Amino acid sequence: MDQYGRTVATCSVGGTDLGKWLVLSGLALDWPQYSKGRYAGVPREAERAGRGFWKGSYVEPWLYRACIRSSGKPSSCSDDANAPS
């Protein structure tokens, strides 16, 4: 359970971790707070391969929000220069 009472779980089908598959396919983001490192490196692999939303420019939501909280403007928080490498 997370701090809001929501269930946090790992789902699998036929031995395949669906969360890992989604992250590797560029269809979901790893949330390390809950995955506890289970998918370490997987998002970068999807990004390097240009899969899913990584085909274009992308900034993870938590990086965008951190930029805004530190007095950034939306245009400067979401441009390619701020995308993770």
Side-chain angles (χ1 to χ4, degrees), residues 4-50:
Y4 303 106
R6 299 174 295 199
T7 300
V8 177
T10 300
C11 298
S12 62
V13 172
T16 298
D17 180 330
L18 296 179
K20 181 177 181 180
W21 182 85
L22 287 167
V23 173
L24 188 59
S25 299
L27 302 173
L29 293 170
D30 174 30
W31 197 267
Q33 174 183 351
Y34 298 112
S35 69
K36 307 281 189 249
R38 176 179 284 144
Y39 307 134
V42 176
R44 294 299 145 239
E45 185 177 337
E47 182 182 10
R48 280 191 300 275

Side-chain angles (χ1 to χ4, degrees), residues 64 67-68 71-79 82:
Y64 177 83
C67 180
I68 294 295
S71 302
K73 296 183 181 190
S75 61
S76 65
C77 292
S78 59
D79 66 13
N82 293 310

